[in-house]
Coordinates of all heavy atoms in Angstrom, one line a residue:
E145 N -12.2 -11.5 14.5 CA -10.9 -11.4 13.8 C -9.9 -12.2 14.4 O -9.6 -12.1 15.6 CB -10.5 -9.9 13.8 CG -9.2 -9.7 12.9 CD -8.8 -8.2 12.8 OE1 -9.3 -7.4 13.7 OE2 -8.1 -7.8 11.9
A146 N -9.2 -13.0 13.6 CA -8.1 -13.8 14.1 C -6.8 -13.0 14.0 O -6.5 -12.4 12.9 CB -8.0 -15.1 13.2
V147 N -6.1 -13.0 15.1 CA -4.8 -12.1 15.1 C -3.7 -13.0 15.6 O -3.8 -14.0 16.2 CB -5.0 -10.9 16.0 CG1 -6.1 -10.0 15.4 CG2 -5.3 -11.3 17.4
D148 N -2.4 -12.5 15.3 CA -1.2 -13.2 15.7 C -0.7 -12.7 17.1 O -1.4 -12.0 17.8 CB -0.2 -13.0 14.6 CG 0.3 -11.6 14.5 OD1 0.1 -10.7 15.3 OD2 0.9 -11.3 13.4
Q149 N 0.5 -13.0 17.4 CA 1.2 -12.7 18.7 C 1.2 -11.2 18.9 O 1.2 -10.8 20.1 CB 2.6 -13.2 18.7 CG 2.8 -14.7 18.4 CD 3.1 -15.0 17.0 OE1 2.3 -14.6 16.1 NE2 4.2 -15.7 16.8
Y150 N 1.2 -10.4 17.9 CA 1.3 -8.9 18.1 C 0.0 -8.3 17.8 O -0.1 -7.0 17.7 CB 2.4 -8.3 17.1 CG 3.8 -8.6 17.6 CD1 4.8 -8.6 16.6 CD2 4.1 -8.9 18.9 CE1 6.1 -8.9 17.0 CE2 5.4 -9.1 19.3 CZ 6.4 -9.1 18.3 OH 7.8 -9.4 18.7
G151 N -1.1 -9.1 17.7 CA -2.4 -8.5 17.5 C -2.7 -8.0 16.0 O -3.6 -7.3 15.8
N152 N -1.9 -8.5 15.1 CA -2.1 -8.2 13.7 C -3.1 -9.2 13.0 O -3.0 -10.4 13.3 CB -0.8 -8.2 12.9 CG 0.2 -7.1 13.5 OD1 -0.2 -6.0 13.6 ND2 1.4 -7.5 13.7
S153 N -3.9 -8.7 12.1 CA -4.8 -9.6 11.4 C -4.1 -10.6 10.6 O -3.1 -10.3 9.9 CB -5.8 -8.7 10.6 OG -6.7 -9.6 9.9
L154 N -4.6 -11.8 10.6 CA -4.1 -12.9 9.8 C -4.9 -13.0 8.5 O -5.8 -13.8 8.4 CB -4.1 -14.2 10.6 CG -3.3 -14.3 11.8 CD1 -3.6 -15.4 12.7 CD2 -1.8 -14.4 11.4
D155 N -4.5 -12.2 7.5 CA -5.3 -12.0 6.3 C -5.4 -13.2 5.5 O -6.3 -13.3 4.6 CB -4.8 -10.8 5.5 CG -5.0 -9.5 6.2 OD1 -4.3 -9.3 7.3 OD2 -5.7 -8.7 5.8
Y156 N -4.5 -14.2 5.6 CA -4.6 -15.4 4.8 C -5.2 -16.6 5.5 O -5.2 -17.7 5.0 CB -3.2 -15.7 4.3 CG -2.6 -14.7 3.3 CD1 -1.6 -13.9 3.7 CD2 -3.1 -14.7 2.0 CE1 -1.1 -12.9 2.7 CE2 -2.6 -13.7 1.1 CZ -1.6 -12.9 1.5 OH -1.2 -12.0 0.6
L157 N -5.7 -16.4 6.7 CA -6.4 -17.5 7.4 C -7.8 -17.6 7.0 O -8.6 -16.7 7.0 CB -6.3 -17.1 8.9 CG -6.7 -18.3 9.9 CD1 -5.8 -19.4 9.8 CD2 -6.8 -17.8 11.3
M158 N -8.2 -18.8 6.6 CA -9.5 -19.1 6.0 C -10.2 -20.2 6.8 O -10.9 -21.1 6.2 CB -9.4 -19.4 4.5 CG -8.7 -18.4 3.7 SD -9.7 -16.8 3.6 CE -8.6 -15.9 2.5
D159 N -10.0 -20.3 8.1 CA -10.6 -21.4 8.9 C -12.1 -21.3 8.9 O -12.7 -20.2 8.8 CB -10.1 -21.4 10.3 CG -8.6 -21.9 10.4 OD1 -8.0 -22.2 9.4 OD2 -8.1 -22.1 11.6
S160 N -12.7 -22.5 9.2 CA -14.2 -22.4 9.4 C -14.4 -21.9 10.8 O -13.5 -21.9 11.7 CB -14.7 -23.9 9.4 OG -14.1 -24.7 10.3
I161 N -15.6 -21.3 11.0 CA -16.0 -20.7 12.3 C -17.4 -20.9 12.6 O -18.3 -21.0 11.7 CB -15.6 -19.2 12.3 CG1 -15.9 -18.5 13.6 CG2 -16.4 -18.5 11.1 CD1 -15.4 -17.1 13.7
E162 N -17.7 -21.1 13.9 CA -19.1 -21.4 14.4 C -19.4 -20.3 15.4 O -18.6 -19.9 16.2 CB -19.2 -22.8 15.0 CG -18.9 -23.9 14.1 CD -19.1 -25.2 14.7 OE1 -19.3 -25.3 16.0 OE2 -19.0 -26.3 14.0
F163 N -20.7 -19.8 15.3 CA -21.2 -18.8 16.2 C -22.1 -19.4 17.3 O -22.8 -20.4 16.9 CB -21.9 -17.7 15.4 CG -21.2 -17.1 14.3 CD1 -21.7 -17.2 13.0 CD2 -20.0 -16.5 14.5 CE1 -21.0 -16.7 11.9 CE2 -19.3 -15.9 13.4 CZ -19.8 -16.1 12.1
A164 N -22.2 -18.8 18.4 CA -23.1 -19.2 19.5 C -23.7 -18.0 20.1 O -23.0 -17.0 20.4 CB -22.4 -20.0 20.6
V165 N -25.0 -18.0 20.3 CA -25.8 -16.9 20.9 C -26.6 -17.4 22.1 O -27.3 -18.4 22.0 CB -26.7 -16.3 19.9 CG1 -27.5 -15.1 20.5 CG2 -25.9 -15.7 18.7
E166 N -26.5 -16.7 23.2 CA -27.3 -17.0 24.4 C -28.0 -15.8 24.8 O -27.5 -14.7 24.8 CB -26.4 -17.5 25.6 CG -25.6 -18.8 25.3 CD -24.7 -19.1 26.5 OE1 -24.7 -18.3 27.5 OE2 -23.9 -20.0 26.4
G167 N -29.3 -16.0 25.2 CA -30.1 -14.8 25.6 C -31.1 -14.4 24.6 O -31.4 -15.1 23.6
P168 N -31.8 -13.3 24.9 CA -32.9 -12.8 24.0 C -32.5 -12.3 22.6 O -32.8 -11.1 22.4 CB -33.6 -11.8 24.9 CG -32.5 -11.2 25.7 CD -31.5 -12.3 26.0
A169 N -31.9 -13.1 21.9 CA -31.5 -12.7 20.5 C -31.3 -13.9 19.6 O -31.0 -15.0 20.2 CB -30.3 -11.7 20.5
E170 N -31.2 -13.7 18.3 CA -31.0 -14.9 17.5 C -30.1 -14.4 16.3 O -30.1 -13.2 15.9 CB -32.3 -15.4 16.9 CG -33.2 -14.4 16.2 CD -34.5 -15.0 15.8 OE1 -34.9 -16.1 16.3 OE2 -35.2 -14.4 14.9
L171 N -29.4 -15.4 15.7 CA -28.6 -15.1 14.6 C -29.4 -14.8 13.3 O -30.4 -15.3 13.1 CB -27.6 -16.3 14.3 CG -26.4 -16.4 15.1 CD1 -25.8 -17.8 14.7 CD2 -25.4 -15.3 14.8
I172 N -28.9 -13.8 12.6 CA -29.4 -13.6 11.2 C -28.4 -14.3 10.3 O -27.3 -13.8 10.1 CB -29.5 -12.1 10.9 CG1 -30.4 -11.4 11.9 CG2 -30.0 -11.9 9.5 CD1 -30.5 -9.9 11.7
G173 N -28.8 -15.3 9.6 CA -27.9 -16.1 8.8 C -27.4 -17.4 9.4 O -27.9 -17.8 10.4
P174 N -26.4 -18.0 8.7 CA -26.0 -19.3 9.2 C -25.2 -19.3 10.5 O -24.6 -18.3 10.8 CB -25.1 -19.8 8.0 CG -24.6 -18.5 7.4 CD -25.7 -17.6 7.5
A175 N -25.2 -20.4 11.2 CA -24.5 -20.5 12.4 C -23.0 -20.9 12.2 O -22.2 -20.8 13.2 CB -25.1 -21.5 13.4
S176 N -22.7 -21.2 11.0 CA -21.2 -21.6 10.7 C -20.9 -21.1 9.3 O -21.8 -21.1 8.4 CB -21.0 -23.1 10.8 OG -21.8 -23.8 9.9
T177 N -19.7 -20.6 9.2 CA -19.2 -20.2 7.9 C -17.7 -20.2 7.9 O -17.1 -21.0 8.7 CB -19.7 -18.7 7.6 OG1 -19.3 -18.3 6.3 CG2 -19.2 -17.7 8.7
T178 N -17.0 -19.5 7.1 CA -15.5 -19.4 7.1 C -15.0 -18.0 7.2 O -15.7 -17.0 6.8 CB -14.9 -20.1 5.8 OG1 -15.4 -19.3 4.6 CG2 -15.3 -21.5 5.7
L179 N -13.8 -17.9 7.8 CA -13.2 -16.6 7.9 C -12.8 -16.1 6.5 O -12.4 -17.0 5.6 CB -11.9 -16.7 8.7 CG -12.1 -16.9 10.2 CD1 -10.8 -17.2 10.9 CD2 -12.8 -15.8 10.9
L180 N -12.9 -14.9 6.2 CA -12.5 -14.3 4.9 C -11.5 -13.2 5.2 O -11.7 -12.2 5.8 CB -13.7 -13.7 4.2 CG -14.9 -14.6 3.8 CD1 -16.0 -13.8 3.3 CD2 -14.4 -15.7 2.9
G181 N -10.2 -13.5 4.8 CA -9.1 -12.6 5.1 C -8.9 -12.5 6.6 O -8.5 -11.4 7.1
G182 N -9.1 -13.6 7.3 CA -8.9 -13.6 8.7 C -10.0 -13.0 9.6 O -9.8 -13.0 10.9
C183 N -11.1 -12.6 9.0 CA -12.2 -12.1 9.9 C -13.5 -12.3 9.2 O -13.6 -12.8 8.1 CB -12.0 -10.6 10.0 SG -12.1 -9.6 8.5
I184 N -14.6 -12.1 10.0 CA -15.9 -12.3 9.5 C -16.8 -11.6 10.5 O -16.5 -11.4 11.7 CB -16.3 -13.9 9.5 CG1 -17.5 -14.1 8.6 CG2 -16.5 -14.4 10.9 CD1 -17.3 -13.9 7.1
A185 N -18.0 -11.3 10.1 CA -19.0 -10.7 11.0 C -20.3 -11.5 11.1 O -20.6 -12.2 10.1 CB -19.3 -9.2 10.5
A186 N -20.9 -11.5 12.2 CA -22.2 -12.1 12.4 C -23.2 -11.0 12.8 O -22.8 -10.0 13.5 CB -22.2 -13.2 13.5
W187 N -24.5 -11.2 12.4 CA -25.5 -10.3 12.8 C -26.5 -11.0 13.7 O -26.8 -12.1 13.5 CB -26.2 -9.7 11.6 CG -25.4 -8.8 10.7 CD1 -24.4 -9.2 9.8 CD2 -25.4 -7.4 10.7 NE1 -23.9 -8.1 9.3 CE2 -24.4 -7.0 9.8 CE3 -26.1 -6.4 11.4 CZ2 -24.2 -5.6 9.6 CZ3 -25.9 -5.1 11.2 CH2 -24.9 -4.7 10.2
I188 N -27.0 -10.2 14.7 CA -28.1 -10.8 15.6 C -29.2 -9.8 15.6 O -29.1 -8.6 15.3 CB -27.6 -11.0 17.0 CG1 -27.1 -9.7 17.7 CG2 -26.5 -12.1 17.0 CD1 -26.8 -9.8 19.2
R189 N -30.4 -10.3 16.0 CA -31.6 -9.4 16.2 C -32.3 -9.9 17.5 O -32.3 -11.1 17.8 CB -32.5 -9.5 15.0 CG -33.2 -10.8 14.8 CD -34.1 -10.7 13.6 NE -34.9 -12.0 13.3 CZ -35.7 -12.1 12.3 NH1 -35.9 -11.1 11.4 NH2 -36.3 -13.3 12.1
T190 N -32.9 -8.9 18.1 CA -33.6 -9.2 19.4 C -34.9 -9.9 19.1 O -35.4 -9.9 18.0 CB -33.9 -7.9 20.1 OG1 -34.7 -7.0 19.3 CG2 -32.6 -7.2 20.5
T191 N -35.3 -10.6 20.2 CA -36.5 -11.5 20.0 C -37.7 -10.9 20.8 O -38.8 -11.6 20.8 CB -36.2 -12.9 20.6 OG1 -35.8 -12.8 22.0 CG2 -35.2 -13.6 19.8
G192 N -37.6 -9.7 21.3 CA -38.7 -9.0 22.0 C -38.6 -9.1 23.5 O -39.4 -8.3 24.2
E193 N -37.7 -9.9 24.0 CA -37.5 -9.9 25.4 C -36.3 -9.1 25.9 O -35.4 -8.8 25.1 CB -37.4 -11.3 25.9 CG -38.5 -12.2 25.6 CD -38.3 -13.7 26.0 OE1 -37.2 -14.0 26.5 OE2 -39.3 -14.5 25.9
K194 N -36.3 -8.7 27.2 CA -35.2 -8.0 27.7 C -34.2 -8.9 28.4 O -34.5 -10.0 28.8 CB -35.6 -6.9 28.7 CG -36.5 -5.8 28.1 CD -37.0 -4.8 29.2 CE -37.9 -3.8 28.5 NZ -38.3 -2.8 29.5

Side-chain angles (χ1 to χ4, degrees):
E145 183 177 21
V147 298
D148 65 16
Q149 306 94 303
Y150 288 154
N152 298 313
S153 179
L154 294 166
D155 292 66
Y156 291 108
L157 190 66
M158 304 292 180
D159 283 9
S160 61
I161 185 170
E162 297 180 355
F163 309 118
V165 178
E166 299 177 3
E170 60 186 13
L171 278 171
I172 301 175
S176 62
T177 183
T178 57
L179 294 171
L180 300 175
C183 64
I184 198 72
W187 291 81
I188 62 169
R189 67 180 181 183
T190 57
T191 57
E193 300 178 352
K194 298 181 180 181

